[in-house]
Each structure stands twice: as structure tokens, then as C-alpha cells.
């Protein structure tokens, strides 16, 4: 089950936070196909958000094909995302790195900025190499058409 944590000072819409946290749980394998999401009432009780906000988030997840609402039963996960299970050895390395960063005196925002910068460098280069190249536009023969006033421009 997902424990939604809403940060009202983040500047990110509440429904977007719910969507992001659900996707995070899907990526980490904390939610798998067939799992039931908390009911809107449960999320409202845990977070004190408006029920319509929760429903909006669930509709967005459904629109993306990640969950499906079953009338009278709840909302269920349809598919997973990514391949970064919570027990990955990479996670352990990242945990160690984060602990060292904190011990060295870095604040959360400093660590986030550093990590985001490194991610951007590594994944921009990776995506640039994998970006599909659009085929060149077909060349059509140019025909000269007379302009109504005889001006060729």
C-alpha cells in the first residue's frame, strides 16, 4: 500500500504529487499489477486533501493506463513502470552515497541539486544517442508558378 505524503509548500499540485508518488511506487516495485490502491476516503483521512483531488489523480493514472477503476471494488494497478526494485544493489550504493553526503554537511537541497545535475548529464547524453532520427523529407520537384502580378518573389 502507498503512504501518500503531501508537501503543501512544494508548489506542486496535490493531485500531481499523488500521481508522482504512485508512479514512484510502481517503479520501485512497491506496487505491482493487481494491487489495490487506497480508497479516496483512506487517502483523504491520511492526508486531509479534498476527495476530488484524489479522484483527479486516480483518473490521470487511469488515463495513462497504469490503473483501472472497478466499480464497487476500488482502483487496481494494471501495469508496472521501470525496473528499479527497492532491493536493488544500486539503491544500497545510493543510500551509502546519500549518507556520506549528509555526513559531509550537505543539506537536502544541495544533494538534490548535485544529483539532478549528474542525472541530467548522464541521461541527456544517453538520450541523445538513442533519439530516433527523423527521415529526411522527400524532395519534391520545384515548379515555377507565376504570381498574379508577375512578381516571382
Amino acid at each position: 500500500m502507498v503512504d501518500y505524503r503531501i508537501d503543501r509548500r512544494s508548489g506542486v499540485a496535490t493531485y500531481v504529487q499523488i500521481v508522482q508518488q504512485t508512479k514512484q511506487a510502481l517503479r520501485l516495485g512497491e506496487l505491482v499489477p493487481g494491487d489495490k490502491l487506497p480508497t479516496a476516503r483512506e487517502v483523504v483521512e491520511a492526508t486531509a486533501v479534498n476527495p476530488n483531488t484524489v479522484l483527479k489523480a486516480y483518473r490521470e493514472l487511469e488515463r495513462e493506463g497504469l490503473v483501472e477503476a472497478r466499480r464497487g471494488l476500488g482502483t487496481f494497478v494494471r501495469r508496472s513502470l521501470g525496473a528499479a526494485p527497492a532491493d536493488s544493489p544500486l539503491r544500497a550504493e545510493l543510500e551509502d552515497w546519500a549518507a556520506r553526503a549528509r555526513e559531509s554537511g550537505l543539506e537536502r537541497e544541495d544533494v538534490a541539486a548535485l544529483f539532478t545535475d549528474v542525472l541530467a548529464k548522464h541521461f541527456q547524453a544517453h538520450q541523445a544517442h538513442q533519439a530516433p532520427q527523423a527521415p529526411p523529407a522527400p524532395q519534391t520537384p520545384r515548379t515555377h508558378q507565376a504570381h498574379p502580378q508577375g512578381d516571382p518573389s
Side-chain angles (χ1 to χ4, degrees), residues 27-130:
R27 279 189 177 82
L28 295 174
E30 295 168 1
L31 285 174
V32 296
D35 283 352
K36 183 178 177 185
L37 294 183
T39 65
R41 180 183 308 235
E42 290 169 337
V43 177
V44 168
E45 288 172 0
T47 61
V49 300
N50 186 303
N52 290 326
T53 301
V54 179
L55 296 174
K56 182 176 183 178
Y58 283 12
R59 280 193 305 272
E60 175 66 19
L61 291 163
E62 189 168 19
R63 187 187 66 74
E64 293 182 28
L66 298 173
V67 302
E68 67 178 326
R70 298 180 192 159
R71 188 169 297 284
L73 297 175
T75 303
F76 294 83
V77 174
R78 288 186 66 197
R79 66 181 180 89
S80 296
L81 287 175
D87 61 352
S88 164
L90 290 174
R91 182 183 178 109
E93 291 177 33
L94 188 55
E95 292 267 0
D96 291 342
W97 179 83
R100 288 194 318 273
R102 185 171 187 188
E103 289 166 4
S104 73
L106 293 178
E107 298 291 328
R108 178 185 172 93
E109 292 78 16
D110 300 326
V111 172
L114 183 59
F115 189 73
T116 301
D117 184 55
V118 171
L119 277 178
K121 287 177 186 168
H122 285 273
F123 284 87
Q124 279 179 338
H126 180 72
Q127 289 172 345
H129 293 299
Q130 290 190 339

Side-chain angles (χ1 to χ4, degrees), residues 132-140:
Q133 297 287 330
Q139 296 292 325
T140 54

Side-chain angles (χ1 to χ4, degrees), residues 133-151:
Q133 297 287 330
Q139 296 292 325
T140 54
R142 296 187 79 190
T143 57
H144 180 69
Q145 295 180 348
H147 290 272
Q149 282 138 5
D151 182 8

